[in-house]
Amino acid sequence: MSLPRGRGIAAAFGLALFFAGRAASAQSPSAGPADPLAFAHVKDFDSFRASSGNPDPASNFDFQRMMPGETITLADLKGPGVITHVWLTIAASEFGWPRLLRLRAYYDGSDEPSVDSPVGDFFGVGHGYERPVNSMMVRDGSQGRARNSYWPMPFAKSCRITLTNEGRRYVEHVYDHVDWQKLAALPAGTLYFHARYRQALPAPADGKPYVLLNVQGRGFYAGTVFSVLQPEAGWFGEGDDRFFIDGRAAPSIEGTGSEDYFNDAWGLHVEEGPYFGVPVAEGTGLGTRMTAYRWHVVDPIAFRTSLRFEIEHKGWTYNADGSIKAAFGERTDLYSSVSFWYQEGIARGLPAIPYGSARLPQGNATQIEAEERITGAKAQKGQASVSKDLFWSKDVLLFEAEGAGATLEIPFDVDQGGDYELSTQIAQGSDYGIYRVLLDGKPAVAPVLEHEPGADVRPQTSFDGYFYETSVGLEYPIGWPRLSTGRHTVTFVCLGKNAASSGYTLGVDNLILARTGEEGWGRARQVRPPRVPSDVPGLASALSDSDPVVRGLAARSLRDRGATARTAVDALAARLTDGEWTVRMAAAEALRAIGSGAAAAVPALSAALGRVAEPPHVLRACAEALGAIGPPASPAAPRLRELAARRITYVGGVLELSPEWAARQALERIEKRP
C-alpha cells in the first residue's frame, strides 16, 4: 500500500510523536525548540500490551517454548496503531542462538516481512553474542540478555510479529512484551518501519563493495548494525561508506573509513552512546570480531525513489612472511548487517536472508558438549563433575579446583582434518577462577600482526570466570588451528583467582569447532529450511523422516490439527521411542490434542512413563496426553501414581510444568474426581 505523503512521522522521524506526545508530531527538528509541555499533553490513544503472560493469574507459566523449526507469534495486533517498545529475554542452550532465532514483522496482512532479522542483530549485537547495549533506540541490559527496542512501528490495519527457531535445539523459555498504542488513524505521511539482515561470507572481492541495502520507494534511512569477523590479521576498516540516493551515479554521502561512519576514530573500541556505539571489539588479530551500531536519529537520510547503501571492502593486508602487502587492499573478512529504515508502504523484492546455521559467524559450527566428555576428562588438583541445569537448561562440566596449577583436560574428536576456529563457552560465578587454555598441551594464540601506528593489538591469553552471579555463555576464543583427523585435547590451567572470588571453580559449557576458509564458508550456502507436508497422511509419513527437525515439526503440525489427526495415532505412538527427546515430547503433545481418539496409544504412553532418565518435558507431555484421553487411559493409572509420588524435580520454578503435577491432574481426569 502507499500512504499519503506529508509531514508527520516522515518529516519529524516520528520520535516527537512517540516520545514527547502526539501534539509534537508535526514539528520538524529544524523548526525550532520543541514545546516543553508536549509530554504533558493529553494522550489520545489506547495503550495495550501483547505478551507471553499466562492468562491464568494463579500460574507462573509466563513464557513460550519452541521446537526446532517452529514459529511462534509474539503479537497479532489490529490497527490503526503503533508499536512503541519490544522486549525479549530468552533462555536457550544452542551455540549462536541469537543468530539462529529469526524475528519477523508483517504489516497489514502482507506475506512479505518488513522486519526480517536474527534476534541478536536486530537488537544491536552480531555473531550470536550477548552483550550490553545502551543507546537511544536499543537497550540490552543484564549482560545483553534483556533486549529492548524503541523503534516506532506504525501500521494501518494490522501487525503480526513472529519468532522462528531456525536452530536444531529446543528453546526452553521465550519471554516477550510488545507495547503498542491503538490510534483512531495514522497521521498523513506515516511511513512504515523496516529492518533487514544481510551477510557475505566472505565479503565480495575484485573491488566490489558490500551492499547493506538496495531499496526502491520513498522514505529515509534510520540506522545500521554492522558486524565483521576477521579471517586474517590486520585491520578491515579502511572502506568508505557510500549512499546513492534516487538513482544518482555518484554517492550523495561518502565517508572516509569504516570506523568513521560509526563515529569512532583510529579503530573501533567497546563503547556506548545514544546514537552510536560498539558492543563488540576484540582487536585486529586473526579471528577477532566487531559489532557497531549507528542510529540516524538526528540525521536521517531521505530518499524519494531509491536508496543504495554500500561500504568498500578494503583494509590492511599482508604477505605470507608478515610484511605489509597493502594498506588499502582486498581482504577476506566476513560481513553481516541489519539496515533500519522507514518508507511508504511495504518494501518488496529484497533478497532472502540465509537460513539458520548459514548465518553463524563462519556459516557452520559443531557444538561439543563438555559434560558429555566427562568420562574421558582428566582432572588434577581438583574434582570434576556434571552440574545439571546450572543456568536455565544449560548443563556444564564443573571443575572444583584446589588452586593455581590445577588442570582439567577435555578430549574431543575431529572427523576431518583442516583449518578450524576453536572456541569455548564457559560459566561464571562468585567462586570462579582465572584460567588459560592449551590445545594439545600448547598455547593456541592467534597470530597478531602490527600495522599502522596505534594498532589495536590485544592478544587474549586467559579469562577470569568471576562474576557476582551465576551465568553461562561467556565466549572465549582458543585459536585458529590446523587440526588433523582424530583425538585432540583442550586443557584449562588455573592461574589463580580474582580478589573478589571465593574460589577457583571452572564451568565449561561446550567447545565450538567451526571450519574456516572457503571450504567452511561454503557450507553456509548449503543450508536449507526443513519442509513438512500439509495433509495428515503426509505428516504421519514425515514422522519417519531421517531429520529429527522434520519429525518434530510433523508432530507439532498434527498437534495443531487436534482430533482431526486421529488417523496418525499409531504413527505418533511409534515416535514415543524416537531417539530425540523433543520428538517424543511433540508426539505426546499431539496425542494429547487428539484426546479420547488417541486411546490406542495408552500402552506406549504408559511405557514412556516407566523409562529411566526420561526428560521431565517428555514425562509431563505423556501424563497430559493420558489425562486428555480420560477413562480409557485407566491401565496407565499405576504408572501415573508412581510419577505423582515423586519429588518435584523440574528446574525453572514453574510448578505446573512439572511431570508430577501433570500426573496428578491426569489421574483426576481419568478417575473423574472433582
Side-chain angles (χ1 to χ4, degrees):
M1 63 174 292
S2 179
L3 297 173
R5 299 177 183 176
R7 299 186 71 188
I9 300 176
F13 185 45
L15 298 180
L17 173 62
F18 302 111
F19 299 149
R22 292 285 305 278
S25 63
Q27 181 167 321
S28 168
S30 62
D35 179 358
L37 294 178
F39 190 73
H41 290 175
V42 171
K43 308 299 183 237
D44 188 19
F45 51 76
D46 294 318
S47 298
F48 293 98
R49 169 178 291 170
S51 78
S52 56
N54 189 344
D56 181 358
S59 169
N60 195 34
F61 185 70
D62 290 330
F63 54 86
Q64 299 189 70
R65 299 170 294 178
M66 288 196 294
M67 291 280 293
E70 184 178 10
T71 296
I72 61 174
T73 298
L74 305 185
D76 194 357
L77 314 177
K78 303 303 179 185
V82 58
I83 294 170
T84 57
H85 172 228
V86 178
W87 166 84
L88 281 175
T89 190
I90 299 169
S93 62
E94 188 166 7
F95 166 72
W97 67 261
R99 268 278 170 92
L100 298 175
L101 303 191
R102 184 172 177 177
L103 184 71
R104 283 177 278 199
Y106 302 82
Y107 300 131
D108 298 347
S110 172
D111 59 357
E112 178 80 17
S114 293
V115 173
D116 197 347
S117 171
V119 163
D121 300 77
F122 179 83
F123 288 93
V125 183
H127 311 296
Y129 281 2
E130 290 188 284
R131 293 289 189 274
V133 175
N134 186 16
S135 76
M136 184 175 186
M137 308 314 298
V138 172
R139 172 76 163 88
D140 297 343
S142 188
Q143 293 183 285
R145 296 172 294 180
R147 293 170 167 83
N148 294 271
S149 166
Y150 296 97
W151 290 106
M153 300 171 61
F155 53 96
K157 297 178 181 178
S158 65
C159 180
R160 181 168 60 93
I161 301 178
T162 65
L163 188 66
T164 302
N165 178 7
E166 294 186 353
R168 301 189 65 84
R169 292 194 179 192
Y170 188 63
V171 175
E172 292 271 6
H173 300 88
V174 177
Y175 296 87
D176 65 271
H177 292 172
V178 178
D179 295 314
W180 67 290
Q181 299 167 1
K182 188 171 180 63
L183 310 173
L186 291 181
T190 296
L191 306 182
Y192 279 10
F193 171 75
H194 291 70
R196 195 79 169 196
Y197 174 84
R198 295 194 74 170
Q199 70 177 40
L201 307 181
D206 301 327
K208 297 179 181 179
Y210 173 73
V211 178
L212 291 88
L213 181 66
N214 190 3
V215 68
Q216 306 296 311
R218 180 185 179 95
F220 61 89
Y221 193 78
T224 306
V225 172
F226 186 61
S227 298
V228 179
L229 187 155
Q230 294 196 167
E232 57 182 292
W235 170 236
F236 76 90
E238 298 302 330
D240 300 341
D241 56 294
R242 299 187 295 219
F243 289 85
F244 295 84
I245 300 174
D246 298 339
R248 299 184 186 116
S252 299
I253 298 173
E254 185 168 10
T256 56
S258 304
E259 73 267 45
D260 307 344
Y261 169 71
F262 291 102
N263 295 173
D264 208 340
W266 309 108
L268 289 165
H269 319 86
V270 173
E271 58 187 320
E272 62 183 31
Y275 307 123
F276 70 91
V278 184
V280 179
E282 297 176 343
T284 56
L286 174 66
T288 55
R289 290 160 162 79
M290 183 284 303
T291 294
Y293 63 85
R294 168 80 158 87
W295 309 139
H296 293 269
V297 172
V298 296
D299 58 342
I301 299 171
F303 54 94
R304 294 179 177 83
T305 61
S306 66
L307 177 71
R308 177 184 173 92
F309 175 28
E310 63 184 37
I311 193 164
E312 293 176 315
H313 181 224
K314 297 293 183 78
W316 289 74
T317 60
Y318 295 85
N319 297 307
D321 62 1
S323 60
I324 294 176
K325 182 178 181 180
F328 193 59
E330 294 287 347
R331 293 173 50 85
T332 55
D333 302 302
L334 313 184
Y335 280 10
S336 56
S337 60
V338 179
S339 292
F340 301 79
W341 76 100
Y342 286 79
Q343 76 168 65
E344 289 180 339
I346 295 166
R348 298 187 180 277
L350 297 174
I353 77 172
Y355 184 85
S357 60
R359 301 192 298 264
L360 292 178
Q362 299 283 7
N364 71 97
T366 298
Q367 185 169 341
I368 304 168
E369 296 297 340
E371 70 275 7
E372 296 176 0
R373 300 297 189 274
I374 189 169
T375 56
K378 297 179 181 179
Q380 295 186 0
K381 296 181 63 179
Q383 182 69 37
S385 62
V386 174
S387 179
K388 301 287 289 184
D389 285 302
L390 179 66
F391 182 81
W392 293 95
S393 78
K394 293 186 177 182
D395 304 337
V396 304
L397 180 54
L398 200 68
F399 179 49
E400 297 173 278
E402 298 172 3
T407 62
L408 175 67
E409 181 181 283
I410 302 175
F412 69 95
D413 296 308
V414 174
D415 295 333
Q416 182 180 7
D419 293 326
Y420 286 88
E421 177 187 62
L422 179 63
S423 61
T424 182
Q425 291 183 309
I426 59 174
Q428 295 175 282
S430 60
D431 61 342
Y432 283 56
I434 299 172
Y435 284 81
R436 67 182 300 199
V437 184
L438 305 178
L439 174 61
D440 294 330
K442 300 177 181 179
V445 179
V448 177
L449 299 177
E450 187 68 66
H451 48 90
E452 60 179 318
D456 190 1
V457 179
R458 35 179 146 164
Q460 198 170 5
T461 58
S462 66
F463 63 84
D464 187 349
Y466 171 77
F467 193 63
Y468 55 81
E469 64 181 6
T470 300
S471 178
V472 179
L474 178 66
E475 301 88 356
Y476 179 77
I478 296 173
W480 280 48
R482 176 164 293 174
L483 297 174
S484 59
T485 302
R487 177 61 56 96
H488 295 269
T489 61
V490 168
T491 304
F492 295 84
V493 181
C494 183
L495 302 180
K497 68 180 184 69
N498 189 301
S501 177
S502 61
Y504 302 89
T505 303
L506 167 72
V508 185
D509 184 18
N510 52 49
L511 301 175
I512 306 300
L513 197 61
R515 289 298 300 266
T516 62
E518 188 58 39
E519 184 175 348
W521 306 330
R523 298 185 185 186
R525 296 184 284 274
Q526 302 169 14
V527 179
R528 298 289 184 269
R531 304 290 185 185
V532 297
S534 58
D535 61 296
V536 171
L539 290 168
S541 177
L543 290 172
S544 299
D545 194 274
S546 60
D547 186 349
V549 174
V550 172
R551 300 198 300 272
L553 286 175
R556 193 59 107 215
S557 295
L558 290 166
R559 179 204 65 177
D560 294 341
R561 283 159 176 76
T564 63
R566 63 172 57 91
T567 57
V569 166
D570 290 344
L572 287 166
R575 287 302 101 200
L576 294 175
T577 58
D578 194 278
E580 291 287 334
W581 73 266
T582 55
V583 177
R584 302 197 298 272
M585 178 190 67
E589 291 177 345
L591 292 167
R592 178 196 64 196
I594 294 171
S596 60
V602 168
L605 290 165
S606 180
L609 293 182
R611 283 197 290 268
V612 177
E614 189 68 86
H617 286 314
V618 179
L619 295 174
R620 171 191 52 76
C622 289
E624 290 176 344
L626 290 165
I629 292 170
S634 58
R639 286 276 170 80
L640 286 168
R641 291 190 187 96
E642 292 174 3
L643 181 58
R646 291 186 187 180
R647 182 181 177 184
I648 301 296
T649 57
Y650 183 81
V651 176
V654 185
L655 177 64
E656 56 269 41
L657 288 182
S658 71
E660 297 88 345
W661 184 88
R664 292 192 289 271
Q665 294 295 306
L667 285 167
E668 290 182 4
R669 297 185 67 177
I670 292 170
E671 299 170 357
K672 292 211 176 279
R673 293 185 300 205

